Amino acid sequence: MEICRDTEALNIMIKEAYQQAKFGKVADYIPALSWANPETLSLAIYEGKSMIATAGDTSETFTLQSISKVLTLAMALMDIGEDGVFSRVGMEPTGDPFNSIIKLETHTPSKPLNPMINAGALAVTDMIKGNTVEEKLGRLLAFIHELTGNSAITYNNEVATSEFETADLNRSLAYFLKQHRVVSSDIECLLELYTKQCAVEVSCEDLAKIAFVIGNEGRSVETDRTIIPLHISRIMKTFMTTCGMYNASGEFAIKVGIPSKSGVSGGIMAAVPHGPGIGIFGPALDEKGNSIAGMKLLESLAHRYDLSIF
Ligand code: GLU
């Protein structure tokens, strides 16, 4: 691919994106996330056998946060099927912030509008099969190990604990959902699993590899195995496109047009259908929770290499 021979252009794009970081702010509502260095920016682009472009310190790790929602959705779909999942969570974008409670109250029946907002993600996490939190988390980690080929990946206990101790808003969403029979688990166990899934620690190279599998019909080129069934990889990309960048997903679709999911740690995972997987880490966020430098970088990459799906 062209990108690998275009080092000079890539350096310019990185510099321009990096300039944006000063307009952002690291997330601090989860105390442990506030320790991130806002001036970090790293990028990895993977094309099935190797990284074709990297920038910054690509070995630096960060937590998945909301990016994990795409992976738990895939697991729930594999575990209980489309009918089971979509009887408890909807398919529509909300236009509201990711942690909003408002549509749960104003919609009847009280079912979260999609799996990418916190309420929907909590409902999806509740669907994952397993007898204990450890078993469910173990299954998620095994799935991530297979997607990345990196069996060292685990969760960051400090970040998980920091979120668990301060997750009052997510707790209230979960209790609301239990009252309305959308979730059935013990809420503290559900919160433990959810905060641990959000605290799974990866590098942007790991993200690029996961994105590649999602972008390429669920197949790993490295192992020549189908890890995610085709129809599920399509559902993942669709939600990434319609709801993956919080309530900036519409603008992002116009400006970038690559199915992507971001997290409040500053990670963005972008899956170009039948193309490269892209992982970015830049913890300075805009007011909606997206990496400000990461968005700029993806916009430049999409323009230069014509990566929009539209
Ligand atoms: N763990 C975070 C939360 O639930 C994830 C949010 C995000 O990355 O959007 O608030």
Side-chain angles (χ1 to χ4, degrees):
M1 179 170 217
E2 218 186 320
I3 304 178
C4 55
R5 289 184 294 273
D6 215 1
T7 330
E8 207 176 304
L10 197 60
N11 285 339
I12 295 172
M13 288 187 254
I14 292 275
K15 250 192 214 138
E16 280 172 3
Y18 190 71
Q19 294 300 322
Q20 295 297 310
K22 60 175 176 286
F23 301 113
K25 215 173 137 293
V26 299
D28 56 8
Y29 76 98
I30 298 172
L33 293 185
S34 68
W35 308 330
N37 172 6
E39 287 174 15
T40 301
L41 179 61
S42 53
L43 161 78
I45 307 180
Y46 180 72
E47 220 187 21
K49 291 235 155 57
S50 58
M51 294 293 156
I52 54 167
T54 56
D57 180 2
T58 57
S59 63
E60 192 174 345
T61 55
F62 50 93
T63 54
L64 283 174
Q65 299 303 329
S66 271
I67 300 169
S68 66
K69 295 170 181 173
V70 182
L71 306 178
T72 47
L73 172 67
M75 283 183 73
L77 286 165
M78 290 189 265
D79 278 355
I80 65 169
E82 278 180 59
D83 291 347
V85 170
F86 295 120
S87 65
R88 286 157 66 190
V89 65
M91 302 181 187
E92 303 304 331
T94 67
D96 298 323
F98 63 92
N99 51 9
S100 174
I101 200 162
I102 190 160
K103 294 235 164 63
L104 281 185
E105 269 230 280
T106 54
H107 271 66
T108 313
S110 194
K111 137 175 152 178
L113 277 183
N114 70 68
M116 299 293 114
I117 52 172
N118 283 7
L122 285 160
V124 166
T125 297
D126 183 63
M127 299 172 198
I128 291 173
K129 281 196 178 150
N131 292 319
T132 59
V133 169
E134 288 67 37
E135 190 183 336
K136 294 175 193 183
L137 187 69
R139 291 187 60 232
L140 173 65
L141 288 172
F143 182 44
I144 295 173
H145 295 165
E146 196 175 11
L147 288 164
T148 56
N150 178 1
S151 57
I153 291 176
T154 186
Y155 68 94
N156 179 319
N157 197 32
E158 216 169 7
V159 176
T161 306
S162 175
E163 180 172 10
F164 185 81
E165 286 171 352
T166 53
D168 296 320
L169 189 48
N170 283 335
R171 244 180 211 96
S172 33
L173 289 171
Y175 277 109
F176 190 98
L177 294 171
K178 189 159 185 180
Q179 176 72 37
H180 289 271
R181 307 204 189 294
V182 178
V183 305
S184 55
S185 306
D186 172 83
I187 295 304
E188 291 309 304
C189 290
L190 178 59
L191 258 289
E192 184 188 340
L193 179 58
Y194 175 77
T195 49
K196 286 181 175 168
Q197 87 178 45
C198 287
V200 171
E201 207 166 16
V202 295
S203 67
C204 62
E205 296 204 4
D206 296 319
L207 271 194
K209 288 185 169 182
I210 301 173
F212 182 83
V213 176
I214 299 172
N216 288 272
E217 307 190 345
R219 279 189 75 75
S220 160
V221 172
E222 243 161 279
T223 61
D224 199 28
R225 261 178 49 80
T226 297
I227 306 175
I228 303 166
L230 173 63
H231 73 284
I232 294 181
S233 74
R234 281 199 180 131
I235 295 173
M236 295 162 85
K237 284 193 287 279
T238 310
F239 278 121
M240 288 164 77
T241 305
T242 56
C243 322
M245 303 300 284
Y246 305 117
N247 41 335
S249 299
E251 185 180 341
F252 186 82
I254 288 173
K255 291 189 172 163
V256 180
I258 306 174
S260 303
K261 181 74 198 89
S262 68
V264 290
S265 52
I268 304 181
M269 173 174 83
V272 180
H274 308 291
I278 304 173
I280 295 180
F281 175 50
L285 308 180
D286 64 15
E287 70 290 348
K288 290 185 173 153
N290 291 308
S291 167
I292 197 162
M295 299 258 283
K296 172 74 186 151
L297 186 52
L298 276 172
E299 191 178 337
S300 307
L301 287 167
H303 277 167
R304 185 163 181 100
Y305 304 109
D306 194 20
L307 299 177
S308 171
I309 60 171
F310 299 107

